[in-house]
Amino acid sequence: MECSGKLTPHLMMAVGTAVIGSLQFGYNTGVINAPQAIIEQFYNETWIGRFSEPISQSALTALWSLSVAIFSVGGMFGSFSVGLFVNRFGRKNSMLGANLLAFLAALFMGLSQLATSWEMLIIGRFIIGLYSGLSTGFVPMYVEEISPTSLRGALGTLHQLGVVVGILLAQVFGIESIMGNSSLWPLLLSFTLFPAILQCVLLPFCPESPRYLLINCNEESLAHGVLVKLRGSDDVSEDMQEMKEESQQMMRETKVTIPELFRSPVYRQPIFVAIMLQLSQQLSGINAVFYYSTSIFERAGVAQPVYATIGAGVVNTVFTVVSLFIVERTGRRPLHLTGLMGMAVSAVLLTIAMALSDQLVWMSYISIMAVFSFVAFFEIGPGPIPWFIVAELFSQGPRPAAIAVAGFCNWSANFLVAMCFQYVEQLCGPYVFIIFTVLLLGFFAFTYFKVPETKGRTFDEIAEGFRQAAAQGGDKYSAPEEFNTLRGDDPDL
């Protein structure tokens, strides 16, 4: 159907409103880094006010580490709770309700300096982590369920675009002359209030997921009306038929719980794929590269390393946009494989450049190129694809539980990297990127042999592929064979 794959105003409005949640996640991920010294000074002054002596270095490090890591802990709890909300309240109302957490977090963080309480700041970081964990489940699920099959990948990439734009905004706002100073840092942290208000204003004008209305609520007429608006056409029979078939399949299945995802041979393969893709994102070394970027730029003689780091954020954003435009042409598998291999090569180049930078001055410039290359390849594949492909791998029944498990694994890996990286880096120095290179090559091999192509396939067709593989025996499943079968004579696949 020609009309079913076009970008309509209602679809753009719904997707754009949803990815405000993605922007919030990105903003609150990056916002804590720039004002670190100022917030540590606030901790010290508060400690002196309470105990009449300066805070010890170990206590300050522990408080700061907790302030950063508690965000990921909140994210772990939030992401694991996704299924509790989306089936009970729907996709749209779940996103709307989650903003209460954003309001509460902004209040705690914004008033922490006035109340001279670091506890309020840390509690605020935990609450906004809860919100972000929920958003990383709600947003991709909603976007995938309202998108036509031919645009699912491109619109799914908008979640990651929202994340990187949020990180970039946090980097820019964190400049000392804007809000990264001793008087305005509470506003910098509580700025999350404003996107939350905007989303609360816009969401009531957005439709509920038609798949949720038909399959979960059995509201066929409502689902039909929503699809007509989203597709910009009265003829939505193909979409309705596909959802009805999926609904019938779901009725034949027992209720899918999280343990069932691992017990059932039908779901075991796709949940394993989903988890590994999430790990390939967080264990790729992207956070380590951003951690190293400032020192790399300083070593290269950049006068204001913060602006070079913002430059890396711009590269982040630009290549997410590139992925958005090519994901439906090239497919998910080729982009993810290209991104992983490009990152592995960039990591080797970065290791060599950093190891030789003291002997050869010009190697510092090679290291800058390697940083930008690493970031660019991350956003080509491992950045955006794991978020939305999880929703594609599962039909309506198991989708909420699968997204909860995958999101929990993503946030858990994020937390582990944040807690362990500094110790591993102290042991290995610049050679820490060799560890990430090995991991990237392992994820490349896994993607090649186990991750199916989902481009142009309905949710039920993808699920049917796994059902057939389970019937034949899991060991016989081969992603390359399936990819070649699907590709046929289509040069774009």
Side-chain angles (χ1 to χ4, degrees):
M1 284 172 53
E2 252 180 66
C3 60
S4 65
K6 67 182 181 182
L7 200 57
T8 63
H10 282 96
L11 182 59
M12 290 170 65
M13 167 78 170
V15 173
T17 300
V19 298
I20 291 173
S22 312
L23 184 141
Q24 290 271 59
F25 166 43
Y27 183 85
N28 288 289
T29 298
V31 75
I32 199 75
N33 297 323
Q36 177 178 351
I38 296 161
I39 294 175
E40 286 180 339
Q41 184 182 342
F42 161 67
Y43 287 170
N44 186 45
E45 289 169 355
T46 305
W47 189 280
I48 291 171
R50 292 183 186 181
F51 306 110
S52 303
E53 63 179 20
I55 191 171
S56 67
Q57 188 57 48
S58 59
L60 182 61
T61 302
L63 271 180
W64 176 254
S65 299
L66 182 61
S67 305
V68 175
I70 201 73
F71 176 73
S72 296
V73 175
M76 289 159 62
F77 281 104
S79 62
F80 206 64
S81 306
V82 166
L84 299 176
F85 294 94
V86 290
N87 286 336
R88 182 172 297 177
F89 304 110
R91 280 55 166 157
K92 184 180 82 167
N93 289 334
S94 294
M95 289 190 288
L96 193 60
N99 281 300
L100 290 172
L101 293 171
F103 295 148
L104 194 60
L107 192 68
F108 271 89
M109 294 187 291
L111 296 178
S112 58
Q113 186 183 41
L114 191 63
T116 58
S117 169
W118 67 65
E119 294 91 347
M120 285 180 67
L121 192 154
I122 292 169
I123 291 168
R125 286 285 294 169
F126 174 75
I127 295 171
I128 201 64
L130 275 175
Y131 167 84
S132 298
L134 289 169
S135 288
T136 56
F138 295 161
V139 176
M141 188 186 304
Y142 179 74
V143 171
E144 292 297 291
E145 289 186 3
I146 66 173
S147 301
T149 301
S150 60
L151 293 176
R152 224 170 43 213
L155 295 180
T157 303
L158 288 175
H159 168 67
Q160 180 68 8
L161 182 60
V163 173
V164 298
V165 168
I167 293 171
L168 184 58
L169 277 177
Q171 290 172 335
V172 172
F173 289 170
I175 294 172
E176 189 176 357
S177 58
I178 301 179
M179 284 192 280
N181 51 60
S182 56
S183 57
L184 291 178
W185 68 262
L187 178 60
L188 178 69
L189 296 185
S190 61
F191 185 82
T192 191
L193 174 71
F194 299 105
I197 292 172
L198 179 61
Q199 192 178 49
C200 283
V201 170
L202 294 177
L203 268 174
F205 300 99
C206 298
E208 180 53 272
S209 159
R211 306 187 83 84
Y212 171 77
L213 291 172
L214 178 66
I215 300 174
N216 295 79
C217 304
N218 200 28
E219 296 280 2
E220 185 175 337
S221 59
L222 282 177
H224 185 275
V226 167
L227 272 176
V228 167
K229 284 184 178 180
L230 288 172
R231 303 293 183 260
S233 168
D234 290 331
D235 183 9
V236 291
S237 55
E238 190 177 312
D239 288 301
M240 289 295 293
Q241 183 59 32
E242 185 232 315
M243 290 193 297
K244 286 176 182 177
E245 288 172 1
E246 189 175 335
S247 179
Q248 290 166 3
Q249 177 63 37
M250 184 176 160
M251 283 189 282
R252 289 195 292 268
E253 297 170 346
T254 56
K255 181 175 169 56
V256 181
T257 60
I258 287 174
E260 185 65 22
L261 290 174
F262 296 94
R263 283 198 297 259
S264 169
V266 175
Y267 303 128
R268 195 180 300 131
Q269 178 70 29
I271 195 61
F272 185 47
V273 169
I275 290 169
M276 288 296 286
L277 286 173
Q278 297 292 336
L279 295 180
S280 76
Q281 183 189 82
Q282 288 299 328
L283 301 181
S284 64
I286 188 66
N287 294 327
V289 164
F290 272 109
Y291 173 86
Y292 254 115
S293 61
T294 302
S295 63
I296 290 169
F297 297 139
E298 282 175 348
R299 199 178 297 175
V302 177
Q304 294 287 341
V306 65
Y307 294 111
T309 302
I310 290 172
V314 171
V315 171
N316 224 4
T317 306
V318 168
F319 277 89
T320 306
V321 174
V322 171
S323 179
L324 188 155
F325 282 106
I326 64 176
V327 67
E328 290 299 353
R329 180 179 296 274
T330 59
R332 285 63 156 157
R333 262 173 57 85
L335 279 187
H336 198 66
L337 289 167
T338 300
L340 291 169
M341 185 55 71
M343 290 173 78
V345 172
S346 300
V348 171
L349 189 61
L350 184 59
T351 303
I352 295 169
M354 290 178 69
L356 298 178
S357 59
D358 291 333
Q359 288 85 11
L360 302 168
V361 177
W362 55 270
M363 274 291 180
S364 297
Y365 299 99
I366 300 295
S367 63
I368 291 177
M369 288 172 54
V371 166
F372 286 151
S373 170
F374 194 97
V375 168
F377 278 112
F378 176 77
E379 293 304 347
I380 286 290
I385 287 171
W387 288 120
F388 70 81
I389 201 172
V390 177
E392 294 186 319
L393 293 174
F394 294 89
S395 56
Q396 193 80 0
R399 187 177 295 127
I403 285 180
V405 170
F408 180 79
C409 291
N410 186 290
W411 281 95
S412 300
N414 186 329
F415 176 74
L416 286 173
V417 170
M419 293 301 290
C420 300
F421 175 73
Q422 58 181 333
Y423 301 108
V424 178
E425 185 270 330
Q426 287 169 6
L427 285 172
C428 304
Y431 298 102
V432 70
F433 290 104
I434 294 297
I435 297 172
F436 292 118
T437 303
V438 172
L439 286 170
L440 285 163
L441 293 174
F443 290 129
F444 179 92
F446 177 85
T447 302
Y448 181 81
F449 288 109
K450 291 294 182 183
V451 178
E453 181 55 74
T454 58
K455 172 195 165 186
R457 302 169 71 189
T458 66
F459 293 124
D460 202 44
E461 286 171 349
I462 297 164
E464 181 59 30
F466 284 115
R467 282 194 289 269
Q468 290 176 1
Q472 295 169 2
D475 294 336
K476 296 182 181 179
Y477 177 78
S478 170
E481 286 178 18
E482 184 194 40
F483 179 66
N484 290 331
T485 303
L486 284 168
R487 186 176 186 274
D489 298 323
D490 185 355
D492 289 337
L493 261 178

